[in-house]
Amino acid sequence: MSTKKTQGARASHSRSSSPSRTGPGKRITARDLKSFRRRLEEELTVLTGRHAGLEAANASGSEAIGAGDLGEEGGDAGLFATERERDLSLVGNLADLITKIQGALARIDEGSYGRCEVCGEPIEAERLDALPYTTLCLADARRRARAR
């Protein structure tokens, strides 16, 4: 059991140590990029699997409805519609996150990762640590949120 705790502590330490290495206004190091790439790739793998699973479940659920498997209860149709709406929302959210992560990986490849797409300044290390796929510094993210 102690090895699991140690491994978990190491994993959380590596994530939390990222901000101290980059610091405000400093460039991201090659080591930081490698760490961000690994995190993004791991998250992409997990999200892609979830996305595929939900799409498959939605497809099989649609086929069941087409075959008339709801039974005679009208409530079954309402429940199915609610669950389907929720699942479609989850599929959309997962697809959005997958796209953002793929974009972040592309920015790492092209050398623009960690720079705000609006002002061009470095994105705060703490923000990148929390949202490694973000494209905006905190100030521009706040401005965009206020504009909505």
Side-chain angles (χ1 to χ4, degrees), residues 76-77 141:
D76 288 346

Side-chain angles (χ1 to χ4, degrees), residues 40 43-44 47-48 51 55 88-104 107 131 133-135 148:
L40 289 163
E43 189 70 14
L44 183 60
L47 293 176
T48 302
H51 185 263
E55 283 192 324
L88 289 173
S89 177
L90 289 172
V91 167
N93 290 341
L94 287 171
D96 183 50
L97 276 174
I98 288 168
T99 300
K100 287 178 179 181
I101 290 172
Q102 289 170 334
R107 288 190 302 279
L131 297 169
Y133 50 80
T134 190
T135 60
R148 292 181 185 179

